[in-house]
Amino acid sequence: MAELVYRPVIGAALTMFKALDLKIDTQGSENIPRTGGAVLVSNHISYLDFIFTGLGALPQKRLVRFMAKESVFRHKISGPLMRGMKHIPVDRKQGEAAYAHALDSLRSGEIVGVFPEATISESFTLKSFKSGAARLAQEAGVPLIPMALWGTQRLWTKGRPRNFKRSHIPVTIRVGEPVEAPADQYAGAITRRLRERVQELLEAAQRAYPVRPRDAADTWWVPAHLGGTAPTAAEVREAH
């Protein structure tokens, strides 16, 4: 079936990024298979991460079907778009249906996008990973593709106002080599290996990031362990 919704949405996103003069640096897209199923796994630091994760697959001419919370599909504007792009609704109380839907997509040769931290990391460091991505890859017999994003938190993240001004923000995208998910291995061990790969890619993206905070008021987007003023993971847990 023709992608009547997805491609125009991509076009609109690229037009918006051009208007904002974002400096998008993508490396490693060749690690995404040109054909066949795969689970694309990324860190999660911004409300816009699904767009940038999808951008990482575009050089290989692949469209990503994201698993996203069901409330997004009920929204009068985003709902028809999400359904038209064949994304996968996740009802936290009935996760089996979303899992089965994702498995069908993978077996039919689609790329499914997953944020295994489940929610945005307010410390901008990696949280623990849920094992669903590894289990999907095992059951479908497809690879896991690790990815890391950096800079997206400066556009729109939890607890901060959106910044859709023309502020030339760099966004760094790093895609790693596939992580195999053999059916005879423990999903927890695969998940730990996957998280280590995403951590390596995140550190590489941070090292490659071309700008530093302008002043003391601009250090909010840098993790505490890198000298910034973002809350630590422990502080985030205490606040909730």
Side-chain angles (χ1 to χ4, degrees), residues 2 9 38-39 96 124 137 162 171-172 174 188 218 220:
V9 168
V39 182
E96 307 85 19
F124 310 130
R162 283 174 289 194
V171 170
T172 303
R174 292 291 180 267
D218 191 42
W220 65 268

Side-chain angles (χ1 to χ4, degrees), residues 6 26 45 56 106 118 135 145 147 187-188 203:
Y6 211 138
T26 305
I45 51 177
L106 289 167
R135 288 186 290 112
I145 311 294
M147 176 185 276
E203 290 172 9

Side-chain angles (χ1 to χ4, degrees), residues 109-128:
E110 299 274 16
I111 292 184
V112 170
V114 177
F115 296 106
E117 296 167 279
T119 56
I120 288 173
S121 169
E122 295 171 67
S123 66
F124 310 130
T125 59
L126 273 194
K127 299 166 67 167
S128 61

Side-chain angles (χ1 to χ4, degrees), residues 184-205:
D184 61 350
Q185 283 190 15
Y186 175 51
I190 297 169
T191 301
R192 281 193 295 276
R193 201 157 63 240
L194 178 66
R195 188 182 179 280
E196 285 168 8
R197 294 302 310 282
V198 174
Q199 179 66 37
E200 288 166 7
L201 291 166
L202 177 58
E203 290 172 9

